[in-house]
Amino acid sequence: QWLVLLPYLCVSLIILGAIAIPLAIFVSQSLGGKVAVLWFRLLGTFTPVFVELEGVENIDKNTSYIITPNVK
């Protein structure tokens, strides 16, 4: 798993980082930010992340919430 993920992380860092940083400096911070968001979405797609939800039954659908994670 890491033998696939680590090269992908390195290549994406070099390519998308090399695009996002100059765009943010010389063209537009917004455009650089959009490339960074794309980069992080791609990383999130291929990185194994497991989430456990507790207390979902207590959520009122008519109320707004601010949800923060607890890292164990």
Side-chain angles (χ1 to χ4, degrees), residues 28-66:
S28 164
Q29 287 183 352
S30 174
L31 189 57
K34 288 179 184 178
V35 174
V37 167
L38 170 68
W39 179 23
F40 289 122
R41 286 183 188 260
L42 289 173
L43 291 178
T45 301
F46 294 108
T47 306
V49 176
F50 302 100
V51 178
E52 180 181 325
L53 300 176
E54 296 179 4
V56 177
E57 66 277 358
N58 298 323
I59 295 177
D60 182 8
K61 293 183 180 184
N62 298 320
T63 305
S64 298
Y65 294 94
I66 297 174

